[in-house]
Amino acid sequence: MNLEQQQNEQAEPELSFHLSNAFNELQAGARLLPDSDPRKTQLAALAGAVSSIREAA
């Protein structure tokens, strides 16, 4: 295993942690907004994108 592979394996848990935090924060932010606020839909879409990235990582 080369140095780059070792660094990637070490970074994966940290990346997963940060992506999980981002997902949770986006979901929480969306829940705080009224349904009529267009930002609610945007935050939910961003949370979905972060979730997809987390699954791929």
Side-chain angles (χ1 to χ4, degrees):
M1 181 179 303
N2 67 31
L3 181 60
E4 184 177 342
Q5 288 172 326
Q6 288 175 340
Q7 289 173 337
N8 286 341
E9 285 184 9
Q10 291 171 351
E12 286 178 19
E14 185 175 350
L15 177 60
S16 179
F17 171 78
H18 289 295
L19 289 171
S20 292
N21 281 345
F23 174 80
N24 291 336
E25 291 294 326
L26 289 165
Q27 288 281 38
R31 283 193 295 271
L32 293 173
L33 295 172
D35 289 339
S36 60
D37 193 322
R39 294 175 298 173
K40 183 174 187 128
T41 304
Q42 293 171 338
L43 287 175
L46 283 172
V50 168
S51 180
S52 296
I53 293 168
R54 185 179 62 191
E55 290 174 13

